[in-house]
Amino acid sequence: MRTSDVDIVIAPGIGGGTDEHWYSRWEAKLPTARRIVQADWDHPTLAAWTRELVDAVEAAGKPVVLVGHSLGVRTIAHAADRIAERVVGAFLVAPPAARALREIPEIDLAFRDDRATTLPFPAVLVASRDDPYCTYAEAEALATAWGATLVDAGTSGHLNHESGHGPWPEGLMRFAGFLKSLS
């Protein structure tokens, strides 16, 4: 599958990211990619964030591939059953663990609930060995619960601009490989 065959829906994490973030660069580079816009990036609620994701998927004209980062990954997991018919795959990067979400008072506690069942579409979960929001063991547990293929990103922090992953060409290559696997 090529990027032109799908609509790529990007689900950012808290704050929405900057123009320097890798998913902002992907959005600018990939013609079929667009980012979800949340009404409140700084005080996310699960209901509002999943509603925006569901609306974006339903508005797509082609099959959808999701790209999620951090809290966007949790949003995708919580909305999965509602969007399964339109989604052909999900590329999930740096999910926060429920443990870490408890420490961020601005985030709706409903995000902490772990989806313990397999995602209804193929998924890859990219995790770092030194992510401050999710240990590698926690990422392994999420990948297992969701039926996602786990990709070890080594010592890469939270895989964001602050950890040196502005352009993140390795991620884009991995994403291209994931798209090929969906053919």
Side-chain angles (χ1 to χ4, degrees):
M1 195 167 279
R2 299 174 314 199
T3 59
S4 60
D5 298 328
V6 296
D7 282 332
I8 300 166
V9 175
I10 301 170
I14 193 167
T18 66
D19 290 343
E20 296 303 314
H21 202 293
W22 59 263
Y23 55 69
S24 297
R25 293 168 186 248
W26 291 13
E27 179 185 18
K29 184 176 190 143
L30 303 172
T32 63
R34 65 179 178 188
R35 182 190 325 208
I36 294 171
V37 176
Q38 296 292 351
D40 190 345
W41 286 112
D42 299 320
H43 300 89
T45 62
L46 182 61
W49 278 42
T50 55
R51 184 179 55 250
E52 290 297 332
L53 175 62
V54 169
D55 289 351
V57 169
E58 288 177 351
K62 300 176 186 174
V64 173
V65 172
L66 300 169
V67 174
H69 180 261
S70 195
L71 201 59
V73 172
R74 289 268 178 184
T75 304
I76 290 168
H78 283 284
D81 291 335
R82 295 169 53 194
I83 56 178
E85 272 185 32
R86 304 286 317 276
V87 174
V88 295
F91 190 79
L92 311 171
V93 181
R99 164 202 51 80
L101 295 178
R102 287 187 203 100
E103 299 167 8
I104 306 171
E106 296 81 13
I107 296 176
D108 180 2
L109 296 178
F111 277 104
R112 291 185 311 178
D113 295 335
D114 281 328
R115 177 190 168 87
T117 59
T118 303
L119 294 174
F121 37 74
V124 165
L125 191 151
V126 181
S128 168
R129 294 226 171 236
D130 62 347
D131 188 331
Y133 301 105
C134 188
T135 67
Y136 196 75
E138 289 167 327
E140 284 179 311
L142 287 172
T144 299
W146 295 342
T149 301
L150 182 63
V151 174
D152 186 343
T155 54
S156 301
H158 194 52
L159 291 156
N160 57 12
H161 179 66
E162 290 78 17
S163 65
H165 295 85
W168 196 34
E170 302 86 359
L172 191 54
M173 289 177 9
R174 177 67 71 171
F175 180 64
F178 176 62
L179 284 177
K180 265 188 176 175
S181 77
L182 298 175
S183 299

